[in-house]
C-alpha cells in the first residue's frame, strides 16, 4: 500500500491540464492530500462550494477518468455533495492552491459499487489534482450601505432580498445602488462571476427570476446584459447591489427566458460571491 503521495509525480504548466505519473497500479489505505502550489485566498471549509479545475486518475489503471480541462470549463462543487475523499482533501486548503489527493475506494465510489461508466471498479483508489480557482461566499458579506432616497425598498425574505417598488419613481437610465459593500476584489468586465440574484419587473412588482434558490449561479461578465456589465464592473466581491435597468440595457424587445415584456424596466438585487479572471 502507498503510505504517502511521494510515488506520484505531477507536472504541467499553470492553467493547463496536469499530468500524473506513478508506478501503477496504486492503492492507498486512507485519504491523503498535499498542496503542490500554494495560494493565499479564502479557506475552504466543509460547507463550502468550491470552483475548481481538476483531473481524476484511476489508481488501478493510471488512466484519466474525468477532467474539467477537457471540458474547457471550471466546475462548482458543494463539498457536502461530493465523494468523501474529495471533501477531506480540500477542507482547510485555500483559494489558489493546487492540491494532490489520493483516496481509497471507501472514500470514493465503493458505496455505489464503483462507477462503471467511468471505468471505476469497487476497491479502486483514485487520484485527483485539483486547482482551487475560487471559494464563493455563501451570501453577501460586508458593510451595510444606506441607499439613496426614492428607490425601491429592499428587505430580507428568509435570507433573500425582497424588493417592493412602492412609490419609487421609475428612472430612465441605469441606477446602481450598493446595499452591502464587500471587501473582496473588484469585478472586471473580463471576469467569471458567481452570484445569487433576484429579478423584479417594475410594471408589476412581481418576482420573475429567483436566482437565490440553490447554489450560486456561475456566469461570464462578457456575456451578461449591458446593465449588469455597466453596473457590476468595479463592484467588489461580497457586495449586494441593486440595479435598476431600463429596457435599452436589458431586453429592449422583451424576452421569454426570463419572461420580460417589451419595454420593461427591471430591478435586480445581486450578491457578488466570487470573481476570477477567465482562463
Amino acid at each position: 500500500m502507498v503510505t504517502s503521495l511521494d510515488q506520484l509525480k505531477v507536472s504541467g504548466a499553470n492553467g493547463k491540464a496536469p499530468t500524473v505519473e506513478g508506478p501503477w497500479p496504486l492503492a492507498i489505505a486512507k485519504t491523503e492530500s498535499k498542496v503542490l502550489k500554494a495560494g493565499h485566498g479564502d479557506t475552504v471549509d466543509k460547507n463550502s462550494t468550491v470552483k475548481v479545475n481538476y483531473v481524476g486518475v484511476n489508481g488501478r489503471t493510471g488512466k484519466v477518468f474525468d477532467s474539467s480541462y477537457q471540458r474547457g470549463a471550471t466546475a462548482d462543487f458543494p463539498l457536502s455533495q461530493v465523494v468523501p475523499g474529495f471533501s477531506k482533501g480540500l477542507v482547510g486548503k485555500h483559494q489558489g492552491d493546487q492540491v494532490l489527493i489520493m483516496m481509497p475506494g471507501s472514500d470514493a465510489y465503493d458505496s455505489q459499487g464503483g462507477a462503471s461508466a467511468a471505468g471505476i471498479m469497487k476497491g479502486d483508489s483514485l487520484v485527483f489534482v485539483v486547482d482551487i480557482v475560487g471559494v464563493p461566499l455563501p451570501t453577501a458579506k460586508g458593510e451595510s450601505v444606506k441607499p439613496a432616497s426614492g428607490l425601491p425598498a429592499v428587505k430580507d425574505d428568509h435570507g433573500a432580498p425582497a424588493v417592493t417598488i412602492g412609490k419609487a419613481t421609475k428612472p430612465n437610465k441605469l441606477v446602481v445602488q450598493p446595499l452591502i459593500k464587500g471587501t473582496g476584489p473588484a469585478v472586471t468586465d473580463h471576469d467569471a462571476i458567481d452570484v445569487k440574484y433576484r429579478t423584479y419587473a417594475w410594471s408589476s412588482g412581481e418576482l420573475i427570476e429567483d436566482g437565490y434558490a440553490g447554489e450560486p449561479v456561475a456566469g461570464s461578465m462578457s456575456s451578461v446584459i449591458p446593465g449588469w456589465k455597466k453596473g457590476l464592473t468595479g463592484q467588489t466581491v461580497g457586495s449586494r447591489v441593486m440595479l435598476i435597468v431600463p429596457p435599452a440595457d436589458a431586453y429592449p424587445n422583451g424576452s421569454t427566458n426570463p419572461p420580460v415584456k417589451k419595454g420593461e424596466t427591471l430591478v435586480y438585487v445581486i450578491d457578488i460571491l466570487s470573481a476570477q479572471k477567465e482562463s
Side-chain angles (χ1 to χ4, degrees), residues 69-251:
Y69 290 96
Q70 291 179 358
R71 292 191 293 274
T74 56
D76 287 30
F77 292 120
L79 290 188
S80 61
Q81 298 177 21
V82 295
V83 294
F86 204 88
S87 179
K88 290 178 181 180
L90 293 185
V91 169
K93 306 303 192 294
H94 300 86
Q95 180 175 335
D97 285 355
Q98 183 180 72
V99 184
L100 174 63
I101 307 168
M102 189 169 185
M103 66 189 73
S106 57
D107 273 348
Y109 293 101
D110 281 7
S111 64
Q112 301 170 39
S116 58
I120 299 170
M121 298 172 60
K122 186 174 181 179
D124 284 353
S125 291
L126 305 181
V127 177
F128 287 93
V129 181
V130 184
D131 288 305
I132 306 175
V133 177
V135 186
L137 296 168
T139 188
K141 181 180 180 182
E143 292 282 336
S144 294
V145 178
K146 184 177 180 180
S149 60
L151 297 178
V154 182
K155 295 185 178 180
D156 182 78
D157 175 23
H158 299 93
V163 172
T164 302
I165 306 294
K167 297 181 179 180
T169 301
K170 183 170 71 174
N172 56 18
K173 63 180 181 180
L174 178 70
V175 173
V176 182
Q177 176 61 66
L179 303 172
I180 296 173
K181 178 66 173 177
T183 59
V187 176
T188 77
D189 59 3
H190 299 294
D191 281 350
I193 57 172
D194 287 90
V195 298
K196 287 191 173 185
Y197 71 97
R198 279 182 159 181
T199 312
Y200 290 80
W202 186 286
S203 62
S204 65
E206 291 182 359
L207 175 67
I208 59 173
E209 282 186 293
D210 192 356
Y212 266 81
E215 296 303 317
V217 179
S220 170
M221 285 291 287
S222 63
S223 60
V224 297
I225 62 170
W228 275 44
K229 184 171 286 188
K230 296 175 186 177
L232 296 184
T233 298
Q235 302 295 328
T236 52
V237 173
S239 295
R240 173 173 291 175
V241 184
M242 177 166 62
L243 302 179
I244 305 176
V245 184
D249 281 333
Y251 303 96

Side-chain angles (χ1 to χ4, degrees), residues 28-68:
I28 200 166
K30 67 177 184 178
T31 297
E32 294 186 17
S33 66
K34 69 176 179 180
V35 175
L36 302 176
K37 299 173 185 175
H40 304 284
D42 292 335
T43 303
V44 177
D45 68 37
K46 65 180 182 179
N47 297 313
S48 291
T49 291
V50 291
K51 180 181 289 292
V52 296
N53 266 320
Y54 68 95
V55 168
V57 176
N58 190 321
R60 174 174 53 85
T61 65
K63 293 182 178 180
V64 173
F65 65 85
D66 193 10
S67 171
S68 68

